[in-house]
Amino acid sequence: MKQLLPLIGGAVGGLIVLGLVMMWLLSGGITTDGKLDLAMRLLDEGRWDVAGRIARDLAEAVDGETDAQWHYVQGVSKLQAIGDDLDRPQHRVELSKATDHLTKADELGFPIGYRGKGKFYLGWCYFHTYRFEEVSNIFKEPHELWPLRRSDAYRMDVEANLRKMPPDYTQAEKQIAAWEATPGMSDSEKARIELARAQFEFAHERYPDLEKHLLKVPDYVPEHIEASLWRGRWRIEQSVTLSEDSPERVQLLAEARKIIH
């Protein structure tokens, strides 16, 4: 019961904040611009739920053809609500709406001080809606957009280049090199670079080089799990090209089971 108290307190506190904010907004003592400024601050503080509610309530009060700030709040709050749960049909609908809002905000010009974040979120939308050419256009200089999310941007750009039809291997390799040259990388970020290099080698079916990069991922970072899955995957991929009674196939599958399990 004692463990539940902080959770209950946090939930109640969140409801109180939401209630106070909505009472203040409904009192009529704040302008539309002021409400949007508040919504932006709430987004920065992680209260995307309240920010989204404010933006939705302002739908009839703003000019959707000229108000980049409103589109930014709408787009980002929808993305935060979705999170990484992109498989639900309703979430795909919301992702499409978020993409439209952020595309419009980009056309109008993202709010001052939010261009980097806005471009990152738009690139994230393009990546998850399979618009890989647009991803590359957004993430030409990932480290300059939003330094905190630089590795996320590099990862998406590398993968987007590999998934284009046809793949752009030259640009993918260029971005991996730029990512690797970025100073101040954490161990986790370095592991993600090795995963990107492994994915590049996988696309070329260069399995020994792929394995070499995967083995560089240390076991104390979260990316180690993904590295293990990749080590199993390439063995399975290679095994299907061999006959069922091939000793090499049997060995590859045995190694894959051992790695994954």
Side-chain angles (χ1 to χ4, degrees), residues 142-157:
H143 59 283
E144 294 182 359
L145 290 179
W146 188 4
L148 185 64
R149 302 296 297 272
R150 59 191 178 185
S151 286
D152 293 314
Y154 272 119
R155 179 191 62 79
M156 286 188 282
D157 191 35

Side-chain angles (χ1 to χ4, degrees), residues 67-255:
D67 202 320
Q69 193 175 27
W70 179 75
H71 282 292
Y72 176 86
V73 175
Q74 280 276 56
V76 174
S77 62
K78 287 181 183 297
L79 288 186
Q80 297 295 343
I82 295 169
D84 293 324
D85 187 4
L86 297 170
D87 294 330
R88 298 184 188 182
Q90 184 56 39
H91 284 187
R92 299 300 301 182
V93 172
E94 290 300 299
L95 175 60
S96 178
K97 292 178 181 178
T99 304
D100 291 341
H101 281 298
L102 290 169
T103 298
K104 187 64 176 180
D106 187 31
E107 292 174 359
L108 295 170
F110 286 111
I112 295 174
Y114 289 87
R115 180 180 178 277
K117 287 185 178 181
K119 289 283 189 181
F120 174 85
Y121 285 127
L122 181 55
W124 193 93
C125 288
Y126 286 156
F127 180 80
H128 288 286
T129 51
Y130 316 116
R131 295 163 63 176
F132 299 127
E133 287 292 343
E134 286 91 339
V135 172
S136 295
N137 291 333
I138 289 285
F139 291 145
K140 289 181 179 178
E141 299 291 340
H143 59 283
E144 294 182 359
L145 290 179
W146 188 4
L148 185 64
R149 302 296 297 272
R150 59 191 178 185
S151 286
D152 293 314
Y154 272 119
R155 179 191 62 79
M156 286 188 282
D157 191 35
V158 170
E159 187 170 339
N161 280 294
L162 294 177
R163 293 174 68 181
K164 289 177 183 177
M165 296 301 291
D168 190 341
Y169 295 123
T170 300
Q171 185 62 22
E173 192 167 27
K174 178 182 176 182
Q175 287 297 73
I176 291 173
W179 187 5
E180 197 168 38
T182 303
M185 290 282 110
S186 67
D187 287 347
S188 182
E189 287 177 298
K190 291 176 182 176
R192 294 169 74 181
I193 294 172
E194 296 300 337
L195 288 171
R197 287 200 174 279
Q199 191 172 0
F200 182 86
E201 300 299 345
F202 182 82
H204 289 84
E205 298 184 359
R206 297 195 290 246
Y207 298 124
D209 290 333
L210 180 156
E211 181 79 355
K212 178 186 67 177
H213 289 295
L214 294 175
L215 289 173
K216 290 182 180 180
V217 177
D219 59 7
Y220 58 82
V221 296
E223 290 75 15
H224 184 260
I225 295 174
E226 185 177 350
S228 297
L229 292 175
W230 270 104
R231 292 185 65 214
R233 177 182 175 184
W234 80 255
R235 285 168 167 82
I236 294 171
E237 291 276 348
Q238 192 173 19
S239 72
V240 299
T241 65
L242 304 172
S243 61
E244 289 189 10
D245 57 352
S246 166
E248 185 181 357
R249 182 177 187 273
V250 173
Q251 180 181 349
L252 285 169
L253 290 175
E255 289 176 358

Side-chain angles (χ1 to χ4, degrees), residues 30-62:
I30 181 172
T31 65
T32 297
D33 287 344
K35 292 175 182 178
L36 284 173
D37 288 340
L38 173 61
M40 296 285 284
R41 292 197 298 273
L42 288 168
L43 277 182
D44 290 341
E45 294 170 6
R47 294 311 309 265
W48 51 264
D49 50 342
V50 185
R53 170 68 183 277
I54 293 172
R56 290 192 299 273
D57 288 348
L58 290 175
E60 300 298 325
V62 301

